[in-house]
Amino acid sequence: MRVALVDYDSGNLHSAEKAFTRMGRAAGAEVTVTSDPETVARADRIVLPGDGAFPSCKAALDAVPGMVEALREAVENRAVPFMGICVGMQMLATTGHEYRETPGLGWIGGEIGAIRPADPALKVPHMGWNDLRLRGAHPVLDGIADGDHAYFVHGWQFHPADTAHLLADVEYGGPVTAIVGRDNIIGTQFHPEKSQEVGLRLIANFLSWNP
């Protein structure tokens, strides 16, 4: 199994590579950090990390010649299992509104908006551990339960157009999206590579997932 972690200078690739390599051993997975579109197009699993602001991450992804086309060929045409992490998950949306309106990949309809907790004492960005609330069954969530902890660092959140695509959220002065998914695509707002046993379980499930 060939797993491609997309390198476009906008993700915490070292931690992600370590976590996916660790969990990939049992699945016979070869994990490659790559900025080569051909490698991405041939992959059996694709992971898109992302740290920073939506516009800069999307611009950096667009700036890698042929990368968005390779992602579309693999994910849309070949139905390769795909995971977006943090801003990599946000870029699945139709549009982001951080700083300026920026088009996303449009694979899961929705908007990226600022987190505005009802309790003014809650700080933004939303940073640290929070309890997952599962909203839908999914093979990548096998063995993960309500109340399990995940690690977040973000000031913006995904508002899916179709609530069927919301797989989990957390409470932070109101609901904050944690996981979205449809078909062969899943995205986590939290960092599975930093979420200890829950994150490693989710990664293992993703590597064995056959949508």
Side-chain angles (χ1 to χ4, degrees):
M1 181 195 302
R2 297 164 296 186
V3 181
L5 269 65
V6 181
D7 181 4
Y8 61 111
D9 292 328
S10 295
N12 182 6
L13 292 169
H14 179 66
S15 296
E17 181 184 16
K18 284 180 61 178
F20 277 86
T21 297
R22 174 180 171 184
M23 303 315 293
R25 292 191 187 106
E30 177 185 347
V31 179
T32 302
V33 175
T34 182
S35 58
D36 175 35
E38 292 187 7
T39 300
V40 171
R42 295 193 303 266
D44 303 302
R45 300 283 188 281
I46 298 172
V47 181
L48 182 67
D51 287 324
F54 187 109
S56 58
C57 285
K58 185 57 165 52
L61 185 65
D62 289 340
V64 181
M67 183 58 78
V68 171
E69 292 79 6
L71 287 168
R72 293 194 184 282
E73 167 62 26
V75 178
E76 294 186 308
N77 296 340
R78 291 203 297 116
V80 170
F82 172 95
M83 178 188 289
I85 297 173
C86 197
V87 182
M89 171 262 227
Q90 293 182 6
M91 286 193 290
L92 297 172
T94 310
T95 310
H97 297 281
E98 187 172 2
Y99 301 124
R100 59 182 179 273
E101 189 171 298
T102 304
L105 293 167
W107 291 346
I108 296 180
E111 310 284 321
I112 306 302
I115 296 174
R116 294 188 173 90
D119 181 353
L122 293 173
K123 295 181 180 179
V124 177
H126 170 223
M127 183 163 55
W129 296 90
N130 207 328
D131 298 345
L132 295 174
R133 300 186 300 194
L134 304 187
R135 299 302 187 190
H138 194 284
V140 175
L141 300 179
D142 285 351
I144 296 170
D146 280 335
D148 283 348
H149 305 308
Y151 186 80
F152 295 79
V153 184
H154 65 121
W156 296 73
Q157 74 152 320
F158 201 128
H159 297 285
D162 185 343
T163 56
H165 298 153
L166 175 65
L167 301 182
D169 63 12
V170 296
E171 173 62 31
Y172 194 72
V176 173
T177 297
I179 307 174
V180 296
R182 72 167 183 84
D183 303 327
N184 56 307
I185 299 166
I186 193 162
T188 67
Q189 181 62 68
F190 59 88
H191 289 267
E193 73 279 11
K194 297 180 181 179
S195 295
Q196 299 181 356
E197 293 303 317
V198 168
L200 294 176
R201 179 62 183 262
L202 186 142
I203 290 170
N205 289 343
F206 172 74
L207 294 175
S208 64
W209 180 35
N210 290 297

PDB file of all heavy atoms in Angstrom, residues 55-89:
ATOM      1  N   PRO A  55      -6.208  30.885   3.285  1.00  0.00           N
ATOM      2  CA  PRO A  55      -5.757  31.418   1.994  1.00  0.00           C
ATOM      3  C   PRO A  55      -4.324  31.052   1.646  1.00  0.00           C
ATOM      4  O   PRO A  55      -4.016  30.733   0.496  1.00  0.00           O
ATOM      5  CB  PRO A  55      -5.916  32.932   2.161  1.00  0.00           C
ATOM      6  CG  PRO A  55      -6.887  33.109   3.263  1.00  0.00           C
ATOM      7  CD  PRO A  55      -6.659  31.953   4.183  1.00  0.00           C
ATOM      8  N   SER A  56      -3.426  31.109   2.644  1.00  0.00           N
ATOM      9  CA  SER A  56      -2.024  30.803   2.352  1.00  0.00           C
ATOM     10  C   SER A  56      -1.832  29.324   2.065  1.00  0.00           C
ATOM     11  O   SER A  56      -1.036  28.949   1.183  1.00  0.00           O
ATOM     12  CB  SER A  56      -1.123  31.250   3.502  1.00  0.00           C
ATOM     13  OG  SER A  56      -1.487  30.628   4.717  1.00  0.00           O
ATOM     14  N   CYS A  57      -2.559  28.461   2.766  1.00  0.00           N
ATOM     15  CA  CYS A  57      -2.451  27.027   2.493  1.00  0.00           C
ATOM     16  C   CYS A  57      -2.989  26.701   1.098  1.00  0.00           C
ATOM     17  O   CYS A  57      -2.362  25.928   0.352  1.00  0.00           O
ATOM     18  CB  CYS A  57      -3.209  26.228   3.550  1.00  0.00           C
ATOM     19  SG  CYS A  57      -2.382  26.130   5.150  1.00  0.00           S
ATOM     20  N   LYS A  58      -4.128  27.264   0.750  1.00  0.00           N
ATOM     21  CA  LYS A  58      -4.689  26.988  -0.572  1.00  0.00           C
ATOM     22  C   LYS A  58      -3.776  27.526  -1.673  1.00  0.00           C
ATOM     23  O   LYS A  58      -3.567  26.868  -2.711  1.00  0.00           O
ATOM     24  CB  LYS A  58      -6.073  27.610  -0.689  1.00  0.00           C
ATOM     25  CG  LYS A  58      -6.801  27.282  -2.007  1.00  0.00           C
ATOM     26  CD  LYS A  58      -6.948  25.783  -2.237  1.00  0.00           C
ATOM     27  CE  LYS A  58      -7.963  25.435  -3.309  1.00  0.00           C
ATOM     28  NZ  LYS A  58      -7.782  26.112  -4.581  1.00  0.00           N
ATOM     29  N   ALA A  59      -3.201  28.726  -1.460  1.00  0.00           N
ATOM     30  CA  ALA A  59      -2.276  29.283  -2.444  1.00  0.00           C
ATOM     31  C   ALA A  59      -1.036  28.410  -2.593  1.00  0.00           C
ATOM     32  O   ALA A  59      -0.541  28.202  -3.710  1.00  0.00           O
ATOM     33  CB  ALA A  59      -1.883  30.706  -2.043  1.00  0.00           C
ATOM     34  N   ALA A  60      -0.540  27.880  -1.475  1.00  0.00           N
ATOM     35  CA  ALA A  60       0.638  27.019  -1.533  1.00  0.00           C
ATOM     36  C   ALA A  60       0.330  25.709  -2.263  1.00  0.00           C
ATOM     37  O   ALA A  60       1.156  25.212  -3.040  1.00  0.00           O
ATOM     38  CB  ALA A  60       1.145  26.734  -0.119  1.00  0.00           C
ATOM     39  N   LEU A  61      -0.856  25.158  -2.033  1.00  0.00           N
ATOM     40  CA  LEU A  61      -1.244  23.934  -2.727  1.00  0.00           C
ATOM     41  C   LEU A  61      -1.386  24.197  -4.226  1.00  0.00           C
ATOM     42  O   LEU A  61      -0.892  23.427  -5.059  1.00  0.00           O
ATOM     43  CB  LEU A  61      -2.555  23.412  -2.155  1.00  0.00           C
ATOM     44  CG  LEU A  61      -3.054  22.071  -2.698  1.00  0.00           C
ATOM     45  CD1 LEU A  61      -2.107  20.939  -2.318  1.00  0.00           C
ATOM     46  CD2 LEU A  61      -4.463  21.770  -2.180  1.00  0.00           C
ATOM     47  N   ASP A  62      -2.036  25.305  -4.568  1.00  0.00           N
ATOM     48  CA  ASP A  62      -2.219  25.657  -5.980  1.00  0.00           C
ATOM     49  C   ASP A  62      -0.886  25.916  -6.677  1.00  0.00           C
ATOM     50  O   ASP A  62      -0.784  25.756  -7.897  1.00  0.00           O
ATOM     51  CB  ASP A  62      -3.099  26.904  -6.107  1.00  0.00           C
ATOM     52  CG  ASP A  62      -4.558  26.656  -5.745  1.00  0.00           C
ATOM     53  OD1 ASP A  62      -4.976  25.485  -5.755  1.00  0.00           O
ATOM     54  OD2 ASP A  62      -5.265  27.640  -5.458  1.00  0.00           O
ATOM     55  N   ALA A  63       0.129  26.347  -5.901  1.00  0.00           N
ATOM     56  CA  ALA A  63       1.416  26.717  -6.487  1.00  0.00           C
ATOM     57  C   ALA A  63       2.281  25.505  -6.858  1.00  0.00           C
ATOM     58  O   ALA A  63       3.276  25.667  -7.571  1.00  0.00           O
ATOM     59  CB  ALA A  63       2.184  27.617  -5.520  1.00  0.00           C
ATOM     60  N   VAL A  64       1.927  24.321  -6.386  1.00  0.00           N
ATOM     61  CA  VAL A  64       2.690  23.118  -6.759  1.00  0.00           C
ATOM     62  C   VAL A  64       2.165  22.659  -8.117  1.00  0.00           C
ATOM     63  O   VAL A  64       1.014  22.207  -8.217  1.00  0.00           O
ATOM     64  CB  VAL A  64       2.527  22.001  -5.714  1.00  0.00           C
ATOM     65  CG1 VAL A  64       3.346  20.776  -6.121  1.00  0.00           C
ATOM     66  CG2 VAL A  64       2.946  22.490  -4.331  1.00  0.00           C
ATOM     67  N   PRO A  65       2.961  22.756  -9.180  1.00  0.00           N
ATOM     68  CA  PRO A  65       2.449  22.452 -10.525  1.00  0.00           C
ATOM     69  C   PRO A  65       1.859  21.044 -10.619  1.00  0.00           C
ATOM     70  O   PRO A  65       2.521  20.058 -10.268  1.00  0.00           O
ATOM     71  CB  PRO A  65       3.690  22.587 -11.418  1.00  0.00           C
ATOM     72  CG  PRO A  65       4.593  23.513 -10.666  1.00  0.00           C
ATOM     73  CD  PRO A  65       4.363  23.197  -9.216  1.00  0.00           C
ATOM     74  N   GLY A  66       0.613  20.973 -11.030  1.00  0.00           N
ATOM     75  CA  GLY A  66      -0.048  19.690 -11.259  1.00  0.00           C
ATOM     76  C   GLY A  66      -0.596  19.002 -10.029  1.00  0.00           C
ATOM     77  O   GLY A  66      -1.243  17.954 -10.146  1.00  0.00           O
ATOM     78  N   MET A  67      -0.404  19.586  -8.831  1.00  0.00           N
ATOM     79  CA  MET A  67      -0.804  18.866  -7.616  1.00  0.00           C
ATOM     80  C   MET A  67      -2.325  18.785  -7.471  1.00  0.00           C
ATOM     81  O   MET A  67      -2.875  17.721  -7.157  1.00  0.00           O
ATOM     82  CB  MET A  67      -0.205  19.515  -6.377  1.00  0.00           C
ATOM     83  CG  MET A  67      -0.527  18.769  -5.084  1.00  0.00           C
ATOM     84  SD  MET A  67       0.040  17.036  -5.109  1.00  0.00           S
ATOM     85  CE  MET A  67       1.802  17.300  -4.801  1.00  0.00           C
ATOM     86  N   VAL A  68      -3.028  19.898  -7.658  1.00  0.00           N
ATOM     87  CA  VAL A  68      -4.487  19.862  -7.507  1.00  0.00           C
ATOM     88  C   VAL A  68      -5.100  18.925  -8.541  1.00  0.00           C
ATOM     89  O   VAL A  68      -6.022  18.150  -8.235  1.00  0.00           O
ATOM     90  CB  VAL A  68      -5.092  21.279  -7.607  1.00  0.00           C
ATOM     91  CG1 VAL A  68      -6.613  21.213  -7.676  1.00  0.00           C
ATOM     92  CG2 VAL A  68      -4.662  22.121  -6.414  1.00  0.00           C
ATOM     93  N   GLU A  69      -4.555  18.928  -9.749  1.00  0.00           N
ATOM     94  CA  GLU A  69      -5.044  18.015 -10.788  1.00  0.00           C
ATOM     95  C   GLU A  69      -4.798  16.562 -10.401  1.00  0.00           C
ATOM     96  O   GLU A  69      -5.666  15.698 -10.621  1.00  0.00           O
ATOM     97  CB  GLU A  69      -4.371  18.335 -12.125  1.00  0.00           C
ATOM     98  CG  GLU A  69      -4.755  19.664 -12.730  1.00  0.00           C
ATOM     99  CD  GLU A  69      -4.027  20.856 -12.108  1.00  0.00           C
ATOM    100  OE1 GLU A  69      -3.125  20.649 -11.266  1.00  0.00           O
ATOM    101  OE2 GLU A  69      -4.370  21.995 -12.463  1.00  0.00           O
ATOM    102  N   ALA A  70      -3.630  16.291  -9.817  1.00  0.00           N
ATOM    103  CA  ALA A  70      -3.328  14.922  -9.375  1.00  0.00           C
ATOM    104  C   ALA A  70      -4.269  14.487  -8.263  1.00  0.00           C
ATOM    105  O   ALA A  70      -4.731  13.334  -8.230  1.00  0.00           O
ATOM    106  CB  ALA A  70      -1.876  14.830  -8.911  1.00  0.00           C
ATOM    107  N   LEU A  71      -4.553  15.396  -7.333  1.00  0.00           N
ATOM    108  CA  LEU A  71      -5.488  15.081  -6.258  1.00  0.00           C
ATOM    109  C   LEU A  71      -6.879  14.788  -6.818  1.00  0.00           C
ATOM    110  O   LEU A  71      -7.534  13.820  -6.405  1.00  0.00           O
ATOM    111  CB  LEU A  71      -5.557  16.237  -5.268  1.00  0.00           C
ATOM    112  CG  LEU A  71      -4.346  16.423  -4.349  1.00  0.00           C
ATOM    113  CD1 LEU A  71      -4.421  17.764  -3.639  1.00  0.00           C
ATOM    114  CD2 LEU A  71      -4.245  15.285  -3.342  1.00  0.00           C
ATOM    115  N   ARG A  72      -7.323  15.600  -7.748  1.00  0.00           N
ATOM    116  CA  ARG A  72      -8.649  15.382  -8.331  1.00  0.00           C
ATOM    117  C   ARG A  72      -8.705  14.052  -9.087  1.00  0.00           C
ATOM    118  O   ARG A  72      -9.702  13.326  -8.999  1.00  0.00           O
ATOM    119  CB  ARG A  72      -9.020  16.544  -9.251  1.00  0.00           C
ATOM    120  CG  ARG A  72      -9.236  17.856  -8.506  1.00  0.00           C
ATOM    121  CD  ARG A  72      -9.914  18.906  -9.366  1.00  0.00           C
ATOM    122  NE  ARG A  72     -10.020  20.177  -8.684  1.00  0.00           N
ATOM    123  CZ  ARG A  72     -10.924  20.474  -7.748  1.00  0.00           C
ATOM    124  NH1 ARG A  72     -11.814  19.565  -7.382  1.00  0.00           N
ATOM    125  NH2 ARG A  72     -10.946  21.673  -7.183  1.00  0.00           N
ATOM    126  N   GLU A  73      -7.657  13.731  -9.811  1.00  0.00           N
ATOM    127  CA  GLU A  73      -7.635  12.470 -10.548  1.00  0.00           C
ATOM    128  C   GLU A  73      -7.732  11.288  -9.588  1.00  0.00           C
ATOM    129  O   GLU A  73      -8.502  10.344  -9.802  1.00  0.00           O
ATOM    130  CB  GLU A  73      -6.350  12.373 -11.368  1.00  0.00           C
ATOM    131  CG  GLU A  73      -6.055  10.995 -11.947  1.00  0.00           C
ATOM    132  CD  GLU A  73      -7.118  10.505 -12.920  1.00  0.00           C
ATOM    133  OE1 GLU A  73      -7.821  11.338 -13.540  1.00  0.00           O
ATOM    134  OE2 GLU A  73      -7.261   9.272 -13.040  1.00  0.00           O
ATOM    135  N   ALA A  74      -6.950  11.336  -8.505  1.00  0.00           N
ATOM    136  CA  ALA A  74      -6.934  10.222  -7.561  1.00  0.00           C
ATOM    137  C   ALA A  74      -8.219  10.147  -6.751  1.00  0.00           C
ATOM    138  O   ALA A  74      -8.842   9.079  -6.635  1.00  0.00           O
ATOM    139  CB  ALA A  74      -5.728  10.350  -6.625  1.00  0.00           C
ATOM    140  N   VAL A  75      -8.633  11.266  -6.176  1.00  0.00           N
ATOM    141  CA  VAL A  75      -9.730  11.256  -5.210  1.00  0.00           C
ATOM    142  C   VAL A  75     -11.088  11.230  -5.902  1.00  0.00           C
ATOM    143  O   VAL A  75     -11.984  10.466  -5.513  1.00  0.00           O
ATOM    144  CB  VAL A  75      -9.609  12.466  -4.267  1.00  0.00           C
ATOM    145  CG1 VAL A  75     -10.771  12.501  -3.276  1.00  0.00           C
ATOM    146  CG2 VAL A  75      -8.279  12.417  -3.519  1.00  0.00           C
ATOM    147  N   GLU A  76     -11.262  12.048  -6.928  1.00  0.00           N
ATOM    148  CA  GLU A  76     -12.565  12.128  -7.599  1.00  0.00           C
ATOM    149  C   GLU A  76     -12.751  11.024  -8.625  1.00  0.00           C
ATOM    150  O   GLU A  76     -13.828  10.423  -8.709  1.00  0.00           O
ATOM    151  CB  GLU A  76     -12.712  13.490  -8.277  1.00  0.00           C
ATOM    152  CG  GLU A  76     -12.784  14.649  -7.307  1.00  0.00           C
ATOM    153  CD  GLU A  76     -13.068  15.971  -8.002  1.00  0.00           C
ATOM    154  OE1 GLU A  76     -12.353  16.308  -8.971  1.00  0.00           O
ATOM    155  OE2 GLU A  76     -14.016  16.654  -7.587  1.00  0.00           O
ATOM    156  N   ASN A  77     -11.723  10.738  -9.409  1.00  0.00           N
ATOM    157  CA  ASN A  77     -11.876   9.772 -10.507  1.00  0.00           C
ATOM    158  C   ASN A  77     -11.586   8.340 -10.085  1.00  0.00           C
ATOM    159  O   ASN A  77     -12.280   7.411 -10.522  1.00  0.00           O
ATOM    160  CB  ASN A  77     -10.985  10.159 -11.693  1.00  0.00           C
ATOM    161  CG  ASN A  77     -11.390  11.490 -12.302  1.00  0.00           C
ATOM    162  OD1 ASN A  77     -12.517  11.951 -12.104  1.00  0.00           O
ATOM    163  ND2 ASN A  77     -10.487  12.125 -13.032  1.00  0.00           N
ATOM    164  N   ARG A  78     -10.552   8.134  -9.230  1.00  0.00           N
ATOM    165  CA  ARG A  78     -10.192   6.772  -8.813  1.00  0.00           C
ATOM    166  C   ARG A  78     -10.749   6.409  -7.452  1.00  0.00           C
ATOM    167  O   ARG A  78     -10.611   5.266  -7.006  1.00  0.00           O
ATOM    168  CB  ARG A  78      -8.673   6.585  -8.810  1.00  0.00           C
ATOM    169  CG  ARG A  78      -8.030   6.584 -10.180  1.00  0.00           C
ATOM    170  CD  ARG A  78      -6.693   5.851 -10.181  1.00  0.00           C
ATOM    171  NE  ARG A  78      -5.705   6.485  -9.341  1.00  0.00           N
ATOM    172  CZ  ARG A  78      -5.154   5.929  -8.251  1.00  0.00           C
ATOM    173  NH1 ARG A  78      -5.523   4.725  -7.850  1.00  0.00           N
ATOM    174  NH2 ARG A  78      -4.236   6.582  -7.550  1.00  0.00           N
ATOM    175  N   ALA A  79     -11.360   7.367  -6.765  1.00  0.00           N
ATOM    176  CA  ALA A  79     -11.954   7.134  -5.439  1.00  0.00           C
ATOM    177  C   ALA A  79     -10.930   6.614  -4.428  1.00  0.00           C
ATOM    178  O   ALA A  79     -11.222   5.750  -3.606  1.00  0.00           O
ATOM    179  CB  ALA A  79     -13.145   6.183  -5.522  1.00  0.00           C
ATOM    180  N   VAL A  80      -9.724   7.146  -4.481  1.00  0.00           N
ATOM    181  CA  VAL A  80      -8.683   6.801  -3.505  1.00  0.00           C
ATOM    182  C   VAL A  80      -9.086   7.354  -2.134  1.00  0.00           C
ATOM    183  O   VAL A  80      -9.504   8.517  -2.029  1.00  0.00           O
ATOM    184  CB  VAL A  80      -7.326   7.398  -3.942  1.00  0.00           C
ATOM    185  CG1 VAL A  80      -6.282   7.266  -2.839  1.00  0.00           C
ATOM    186  CG2 VAL A  80      -6.850   6.722  -5.216  1.00  0.00           C
ATOM    187  N   PRO A  81      -8.982   6.566  -1.066  1.00  0.00           N
ATOM    188  CA  PRO A  81      -9.279   7.090   0.267  1.00  0.00           C
ATOM    189  C   PRO A  81      -8.383   8.289   0.596  1.00  0.00           C
ATOM    190  O   PRO A  81      -7.165   8.240   0.417  1.00  0.00           O
ATOM    191  CB  PRO A  81      -8.988   5.904   1.192  1.00  0.00           C
ATOM    192  CG  PRO A  81      -9.224   4.709   0.323  1.00  0.00           C
ATOM    193  CD  PRO A  81      -8.728   5.109  -1.031  1.00  0.00           C
ATOM    194  N   PHE A  82      -9.018   9.340   1.089  1.00  0.00           N
ATOM    195  CA  PHE A  82      -8.339  10.619   1.320  1.00  0.00           C
ATOM    196  C   PHE A  82      -8.641  11.112   2.724  1.00  0.00           C
ATOM    197  O   PHE A  82      -9.777  11.037   3.186  1.00  0.00           O
ATOM    198  CB  PHE A  82      -8.837  11.640   0.292  1.00  0.00           C
ATOM    199  CG  PHE A  82      -8.350  13.052   0.529  1.00  0.00           C
ATOM    200  CD1 PHE A  82      -7.227  13.526  -0.117  1.00  0.00           C
ATOM    201  CD2 PHE A  82      -9.030  13.899   1.397  1.00  0.00           C
ATOM    202  CE1 PHE A  82      -6.777  14.833   0.102  1.00  0.00           C
ATOM    203  CE2 PHE A  82      -8.593  15.196   1.623  1.00  0.00           C
ATOM    204  CZ  PHE A  82      -7.462  15.662   0.971  1.00  0.00           C
ATOM    205  N   MET A  83      -7.607  11.653   3.392  1.00  0.00           N
ATOM    206  CA  MET A  83      -7.796  12.289   4.696  1.00  0.00           C
ATOM    207  C   MET A  83      -7.185  13.680   4.677  1.00  0.00           C
ATOM    208  O   MET A  83      -6.015  13.849   4.342  1.00  0.00           O
ATOM    209  CB  MET A  83      -7.147  11.483   5.820  1.00  0.00           C
ATOM    210  CG  MET A  83      -7.292  12.149   7.204  1.00  0.00           C
ATOM    211  SD  MET A  83      -6.352  11.341   8.528  1.00  0.00           S
ATOM    212  CE  MET A  83      -7.311   9.828   8.720  1.00  0.00           C
ATOM    213  N   GLY A  84      -7.993  14.687   5.054  1.00  0.00           N
ATOM    214  CA  GLY A  84      -7.481  16.038   5.273  1.00  0.00           C
ATOM    215  C   GLY A  84      -7.355  16.294   6.761  1.00  0.00           C
ATOM    216  O   GLY A  84      -8.212  15.873   7.549  1.00  0.00           O
ATOM    217  N   ILE A  85      -6.279  16.966   7.157  1.00  0.00           N
ATOM    218  CA  ILE A  85      -6.011  17.235   8.570  1.00  0.00           C
ATOM    219  C   ILE A  85      -5.912  18.740   8.794  1.00  0.00           C
ATOM    220  O   ILE A  85      -5.163  19.432   8.102  1.00  0.00           O
ATOM    221  CB  ILE A  85      -4.715  16.551   9.037  1.00  0.00           C
ATOM    222  CG1 ILE A  85      -4.832  15.027   8.928  1.00  0.00           C
ATOM    223  CG2 ILE A  85      -4.370  16.958  10.462  1.00  0.00           C
ATOM    224  CD1 ILE A  85      -3.535  14.284   9.205  1.00  0.00           C
ATOM    225  N   CYS A  86      -6.666  19.258   9.756  1.00  0.00           N
ATOM    226  CA  CYS A  86      -6.674  20.662  10.150  1.00  0.00           C
ATOM    227  C   CYS A  86      -7.038  21.525   8.939  1.00  0.00           C
ATOM    228  O   CYS A  86      -8.131  21.378   8.405  1.00  0.00           O
ATOM    229  CB  CYS A  86      -5.335  21.058  10.791  1.00  0.00           C
ATOM    230  SG  CYS A  86      -5.415  22.605  11.740  1.00  0.00           S
ATOM    231  N   VAL A  87      -6.164  22.414   8.467  1.00  0.00           N
ATOM    232  CA  VAL A  87      -6.526  23.215   7.294  1.00  0.00           C
ATOM    233  C   VAL A  87      -6.655  22.332   6.058  1.00  0.00           C
ATOM    234  O   VAL A  87      -7.405  22.654   5.136  1.00  0.00           O
ATOM    235  CB  VAL A  87      -5.520  24.363   7.081  1.00  0.00           C
ATOM    236  CG1 VAL A  87      -5.914  25.221   5.886  1.00  0.00           C
ATOM    237  CG2 VAL A  87      -5.439  25.250   8.316  1.00  0.00           C
ATOM    238  N   GLY A  88      -5.971  21.198   6.048  1.00  0.00           N
ATOM    239  CA  GLY A  88      -6.165  20.232   4.966  1.00  0.00           C
ATOM    240  C   GLY A  88      -7.597  19.727   4.916  1.00  0.00           C
ATOM    241  O   GLY A  88      -8.127  19.428   3.842  1.00  0.00           O
ATOM    242  N   MET A  89      -8.241  19.629   6.065  1.00  0.00           N
ATOM    243  CA  MET A  89      -9.664  19.301   6.120  1.00  0.00           C
ATOM    244  C   MET A  89     -10.511  20.490   5.700  1.00  0.00           C
ATOM    245  O   MET A  89     -11.467  20.347   4.934  1.00  0.00           O
ATOM    246  CB  MET A  89     -10.034  18.861   7.540  1.00  0.00           C
ATOM    247  CG  MET A  89     -11.530  18.692   7.790  1.00  0.00           C
ATOM    248  SD  MET A  89     -12.258  20.136   8.593  1.00  0.00           S
ATOM    249  CE  MET A  89     -13.198  19.340   9.879  1.00  0.00           C
TER     250      MET A  89
END
